Amino acid sequence: EAGVTQFPSHSVIEKGQTVTLRCDPISGHDNLYWYRRVMGKEIKFLLHFVKESKQDESGMPNNRFLAERTGGTYSTLKVQPAELEDSGVYFCASSSRGQNTEAFFGQGTRLTVV
Amino acid sequence: SQQGEEDPQALSIQEGENATMNCSYKTSINNLQWYRQNSGRGLVHLILIRSNEREKHSGRLRVTLDTSKKSSSLLITASRAADTASYFCATVLRRGSNYKLTFGKGTLLTVNP
């Protein structure tokens, strides 16, 4: 069974450009989460999808970030326009239903804005 | 908002020794999970302990949970160089159909050969 996959693994873009990160969750997992870790700091929650619906987007930093989950399958996180402080590692995780289930994480996308 | 806080921030030990990391949180939880992150890689789930459990074992890992003190500990016994990684605790609180994992800042464990 394939795990959570993220693409690209690395991205270097200039300030003001647009970048789109993609996450493919484990098949059948309704829950999909985006997290971000900036420069060795804590792993911060961005948002949570249940199927195609945004359940909680309280962690999204500002309106330059847009997340979608088409048909409840893969998800994209677009940053437009990117700023220097957006640099970090963006993790995606998925889990099945139920409160006592583990979340499976992807390898992350390392985003560097220069 | 609730948040796991790991203690210590960094820990350096010799191979074969035990490593203990602690985590404190602020609000009630449904469960608490520990994850490991090797440098440059994704997070790997280690163990989940439910709010009604006090202790759980998995191989060389032992996790305790004290909900009255809102704290948890992760013990790695007989550590190996390959255990070198960052360790995070994450709390899960259910609100309706929303189960959100909230992570702490992590403990960087270095096991010296």
Side-chain angles (χ1 to χ4, degrees):
Chain A
E1 178 184 328
V4 177
T5 56
Q6 291 186 245
F7 182 83
S9 56
H10 293 86
S11 180
V12 181
I13 62 171
E14 292 184 350
K15 176 182 173 181
Q17 289 186 320
T18 298
V19 63
T20 300
L21 314 180
R22 172 168 170 147
C23 169
D24 286 77
I26 291 173
S27 178
H29 279 189
D30 289 343
N31 295 294
L32 187 148
Y33 305 85
W34 283 98
Y35 289 85
R36 176 174 72 173
R37 190 178 189 201
V38 175
M39 281 300 292
K41 294 187 178 180
E42 66 215 80
I43 300 169
K44 297 206 80 172
F45 168 84
L46 296 178
L47 87 159
H48 171 209
F49 284 98
V50 176
K51 297 184 180 178
E52 67 276 8
S53 300
K54 291 177 186 174
Q55 190 70 29
D56 181 350
E57 52 183 329
S58 60
M60 295 287 264
N62 51 60
N63 59 10
R64 295 185 294 104
F65 288 73
L66 175 63
E68 295 179 323
R69 190 179 182 193
T70 307
T73 56
Y74 71 91
S75 174
T76 58
L77 179 64
K78 182 162 71 174
V79 185
Q80 178 184 30
E83 297 289 342
L84 298 178
E85 64 263 25
D86 300 333
S87 296
V89 181
Y90 290 77
F91 291 104
C92 173
S94 72
S95 69
S96 58
R97 295 181 191 176
Q99 64 187 38
N100 289 314
T101 57
E102 67 179 274
F104 294 84
F105 280 78
Q107 293 296 303
T109 293
R110 181 174 296 278
L111 174 65
T112 303
V113 183
V114 297
Chain B
S1 60
Q2 66 178 24
Q3 184 177 35
E5 299 268 350
E6 289 89 343
D7 165 47
Q9 290 187 326
L11 179 62
S12 181
I13 60 174
Q14 294 299 123
E15 209 165 23
E17 293 181 337
N18 295 341
T20 300
M21 289 160 273
N22 303 298
C23 167
S24 61
Y25 55 92
K26 297 176 182 175
T27 66
S28 61
I29 60 172
N30 289 102
N31 66 65
L32 186 144
Q33 304 180 29
W34 285 90
Y35 287 81
R36 180 183 72 206
Q37 183 188 23
N38 291 83
S39 179
R41 297 192 175 186
L43 290 151
V44 174
H45 182 267
L46 296 176
I47 197 165
L48 179 154
I49 186 164
R50 303 182 186 195
S51 59
N52 61 353
E53 296 176 314
R54 292 297 166 257
E55 188 170 312
K56 205 161 183 180
H57 297 254
S58 177
R60 294 184 295 112
L61 305 180
R62 185 179 78 128
V63 169
T64 63
L65 179 64
D66 187 335
T67 52
S68 66
K69 294 181 180 178
K70 292 185 170 56
S71 67
S72 172
S73 68
L74 170 67
L75 168 68
I76 303 174
T77 60
S79 64
R80 306 166 182 168
D83 294 329
T84 295
S86 291
Y87 291 82
F88 296 88
C89 72
T91 52
V92 174
L93 177 63
R94 176 185 179 181
R95 291 199 186 282
S97 59
N98 186 19
Y99 310 106
K100 184 164 78 175
L101 272 173
T102 303
F103 286 86
K105 296 181 181 179
T107 293
L108 176 59
L109 173 67
T110 303
V111 181
N112 301 299

